[in-house]
Amino acid sequence: MKDRNFLNTVMEFEQQLEAIQEQFNYLKQFVAHMMEEHQTLQAENLHLRARLDELQSNEAVQTEERKSDDVADVGEGYDNLARLYHEGFHVCHVHFGSSRKGEDCLFCLSFLNKTT
């Protein structure tokens, strides 16, 4: 009788170990996904900081060159949006400012191709 209880205990312990192994594998996958997302966000952050520095330096130069009564060129806003799109960011109202991850967006393209 004692042997049967011992065997049952060993089998229960094996089932618990399997459940823990399954949880551990899930946790490893989750951590790997989070690390990948972290790397992506770090790269995007670095790119955005470099772009911000570039824009700020360009803006400082333009501010010195501009006269106080100059009116902004009508096409300048469109050019800025087109440049942002080509740098890999959405300019459409649906996903504005988020990364396109190399894929074209029909909303953005439609917006950029408007003639009005």
Side-chain angles (χ1 to χ4, degrees):
M1 192 76 157
K2 287 185 178 183
D3 289 338
R4 188 173 262 315
N5 284 339
F6 179 74
L7 184 59
N8 286 339
T9 303
V10 169
M11 290 174 60
E12 287 176 15
F13 183 65
E14 181 182 19
Q15 290 173 349
Q16 290 174 351
L17 284 175
E18 289 172 357
I20 289 172
Q21 182 67 34
E22 187 177 312
Q23 289 175 347
F24 180 71
N25 287 334
Y26 172 77
L27 183 60
K28 283 191 326 186
Q29 291 174 351
F30 179 75
V31 168
H33 174 73
M34 294 304 289
M35 288 177 66
E36 181 179 310
E37 189 173 337
H38 177 72
Q39 289 295 99
T40 302
L41 290 174
Q42 274 187 327
E44 185 175 352
N45 190 14
L46 186 62
H47 172 73
L48 290 174
R49 286 185 188 276
R51 184 70 186 128
L52 180 62
D53 290 342
E54 179 184 323
L55 287 174
Q56 286 176 338
S57 65
N58 287 345
E59 186 176 327
V61 169
Q62 289 175 356
T63 301
E64 292 174 9
E65 294 173 352
R66 244 185 227 160
K67 297 179 184 172
S68 62
D69 60 345
D70 279 349
V71 177
D73 186 19
V74 175
E76 184 178 344
Y78 175 85
D79 292 342
N80 287 337
L81 289 175
R83 180 182 35 75
L84 285 173
Y85 181 80
H86 290 292
E87 288 179 1
F89 296 96
H90 284 277
V91 295
C92 62
H93 69 285
V94 179
H95 304 288
F96 185 79
S98 62
S99 176
R100 287 189 301 116
K101 296 183 174 120
E103 299 173 357
D104 285 331
C105 171
L106 294 178
F107 294 110
C108 292
L109 292 174
S110 173
F111 176 75
L112 290 173
N113 289 330
K114 283 185 182 177
T115 57
T116 57

